[in-house]
Amino acid sequence: MLVGDMKRILAGIVCVIGLGSSAAAQDITQLEKISSVASFTKTEKAITFDCQDHSQVRLTVLAPDLIRIRAAFAKALPANDHSWAIAKDDWNTPRWILSEMADSIVVSTDEVEIIVHRSPLLIEFRDARTHEVINVDEQPMAYDAKGTLAGMMFDSNAGMFVAASKTLGFDEHFYGLGEKAARLDKRRERFINWNSDTPGYTEGKDPIYQTIPFYLGLQHGNAYGIFFDNSYRSYFDFGHSSQQRAWFGAEGGEMSYYFFYGPSMKKILSRYAELTGHMPMPPMWALGNQQSRWSYYPDTTVEEVARQYRERDLPLDVIHLDIDYMQAYRVFTFDTKRFPKPKDLSEKLGKQGVKIVAIVDPGVKYQPSVPINISRGRSPSNPELDPQDRRYYVFDDGLSHNYFQRRKSGELFIPKVWPGDSVFVDYSLPEARRWWGDLHRAYLDNGIAGIWNDMNEPSDFVDQTGKNQTDVVSYDEGENSTHAKNRNVFALLEARATYDGLERLQPNKRPYVITRAGYAGIQRYSTMWTGDTNSSWESLALNIPMFTTLGLSGEPFVGSDVGGFIGRGNGELLVRAYQISFLAPFCRNHKVIDGYDQEPWRFGKYYEDIIRKYLKLRYQLLPFLYTSLEEAHRTGVPLFRPLVLNYQEDPNTYNLDDEFMVGKDLLVAPVQRPEIMQRLVYLPKGVWYDYWTNKKYQGGTMIRVDAPLETVPMFVRAGAIIPLGPQMNYVGEKSFNPLTFEIYPDDDGSAATTLYEDDGVSPAYQRGVFRRTIIDVKRAKTGYVVNIAAPTGNYNPGPREFSFVINSSPTPKFVRIADEGRGRTIEIR
Ligand code: GLC
């Protein structure tokens, strides 16, 4: 055996032993590097470099702060350039110039300067104004020409490994990458993207459900972003395997990435939203409290849950129906005994302000049609088969149209999921997506208000890794590509089919979809939750880093099963979980089938009373949350934020992930460990008010605060105005009347906010039917002057009152006026 072979085998063994299936030990220095530039051509938008080894590299200027790099190794770039993630490809080319130097070619926009070194071919990004280096290749882009990594690849037929490597900054921090069971700052870590069903995951488990190959780098207060738009199994290493480099690569597909320059993280997130799509506004009730269980049945149990909520004066907007509502797990059916009249149920619940969201898994029961008289062959004690047991229309229709996934051989791919043998739809087929979307009529006709897409990694009980699916083919825009390319986009396309279907079937209502898996762009179609967590303190401590990381990855509408999904929780854990999730966009208590009951009242009155306090506060804060949600929709900047997003100049925030902010005004420091009644809180520079006492703190330091179980430490930024509505138990129970503006003046006596409102249900906001009201406050000689600007937009919320409360002292000053929908100035003395 040659020494080289031995080394390779040893490397393989190390992978198997040390990393299991998540082998990320690829040594990218061994790969073939793209050779030097031989010549280049320029068009209005791009420069294409022809390399000595016949590779091609294209640099496209999309915006002054957005550059795309695309490379084909030892061949010309293919004409086909399709990505499911991209929402916008018609960019107006900004001003840019090209300068040719002896050793390099320099492209300059108003914001970024890209130096392409000819030999070796290294790409360097600099700030166009300061010329400071932001990001630079550590080695030329590389590919596995010799199949060095073939044995280490998950699917050796996937394609050729491609990689790009960047010099790791001595003080560089990394954020994003979507759903990762990891801390906020990803420096020195490495990750794999391969959508995986990972129940009971704990910190460090990787990969889990989603793939968002987008990250932010931050050094010296300047941020950049990289979106590696490659749906194959991909790898990101932020200085884990070497002190020198941060690299990314994939087991096939193109080296194609987008480089975003900030320097502000918020600006990058806005561009990312422009490129991959904005989250549409969900209905306002999606911000309401939600309750779920695997599974509530029969229908009377669902009614009882709603009744308990109302009787106990606990707010609730949604109950979820998990898989047992179906007839033998057949999607688009209702069990005729457990839910004989789903429409009546949704109407009954609707009268109490409660909506139903139903789970829809991608696994369609494999059920070839059988003659009606099959019942003769059955046991005489069960002669009557339900119609769905005789013939399953979804299977029949899908099969006759050839919408189901097949293996390369042409055989149907038959995974095992909840219904047993099942089939998956090829959602990359446009007509299959349309068909799937239309099937949702079965739910809408029964008053179901939203759809929960689960198991869409896609999970297959035969083999969760995807090995059982490697030869499954997807249409993929005519490419007929295999699983290696399509797994990570399966959920994106399913959610797209669902969202588009709901939109088509109910054009006057905003669709509400929740997904478990996803790929970049998923925010266009769906909200998400973080899958099967544990009812444990360790799992709870992942909430803040995961929600904030998802927000930094283009997914603003996130949440986790409140109280944890698997295992046995307790009252204290549940309360602490609500003290985080009452401000998360998605607030849903959910529990596994054999888990301990954990509805808010299950651990006794003491805990229930505290949970009520936070749920009530969530509903009062709806005007504030909704305004922040609209900002996320419009700008891509999430509402649930890590402090670094608001204070990126402050290194104290770089790995701070046990506190979070909602928008830019509210800072929350929950307790995430048992029996802790005090904690340290970092307050960034500026003045902060304790939300509960109005006590003022000077920021830029750590403070120690009391945090008994009843109280989550919460602070308001001086200069903020927080709009609140009345207490209510479901969205729409009352109008926002009076609207109370809690004013927290800064040292100069100023405060300001912008309130966003619309009808909360229809897509009319997209046509300008909203109202935006700017309110600012200044200190005057004898009190404060409140200026309400004339609102913009065409939405009219009707007559109501505005209350203003100046919270500058423990005895707030207060004034109430009628809102006449016009600008005016008032004084508070
Ligand atoms: C998956 C989901 C979980 C659901 C269960 C049954 O484990 O993640 O939320 O309750 O399937 O549908």
Side-chain angles (χ1 to χ4, degrees), residues 115 171 598 731 758:
I115 301 156
D171 202 10
Q598 75 181 19
V731 170
D758 63 25

Side-chain angles (χ1 to χ4, degrees), residues 420-564:
D421 283 353
S422 302
V423 287
F424 290 154
V425 172
D426 178 359
Y427 298 108
S428 74
L429 268 173
E431 54 275 30
R433 282 203 299 277
R434 197 180 169 91
W435 168 72
W436 185 261
D438 287 345
L439 287 171
H440 289 79
R441 192 182 289 285
Y443 293 114
L444 301 184
D445 285 351
N446 282 300
I448 303 298
I451 300 297
W452 169 19
N453 282 165
D454 186 26
M455 306 291 282
N456 49 4
E457 292 67 39
S459 180
D460 171 7
F461 298 160
V462 176
D463 174 38
Q464 288 294 6
T465 67
K467 285 271 184 213
N468 184 37
Q469 312 187 40
T470 47
D471 64 342
V472 171
V473 179
S474 290
Y475 168 70
D476 186 23
E477 298 278 286
E479 234 189 80
N480 294 310
S481 54
T482 57
H483 190 66
K485 183 175 176 207
N486 295 298
R487 180 182 185 88
N488 287 339
V489 294
F490 181 84
L492 173 73
L493 297 176
E494 185 206 24
R496 176 169 166 173
T498 307
Y499 181 92
D500 289 352
L502 298 181
E503 196 177 44
R504 224 171 24 246
L505 296 170
Q506 293 190 332
N508 295 324
K509 285 192 181 166
R510 300 178 196 169
Y512 180 48
V513 184
I514 305 149
T515 186
R516 192 168 72 176
Y519 182 72
I522 187 71
Q523 70 278 3
R524 304 201 292 268
Y525 313 113
S526 187
T527 65
M528 67 87 60
W529 99 110
T530 60
D532 297 348
T533 55
N534 298 311
S535 294
S536 71
W537 292 99
E538 290 69 24
S539 211
L540 183 71
L542 280 173
N543 277 186
I544 300 176
M546 288 183 78
F547 299 174
T548 52
T549 291
L550 282 153
L552 294 178
S553 312
E555 281 187 88
F557 207 106
V558 298
S560 204
D561 291 341
V562 183

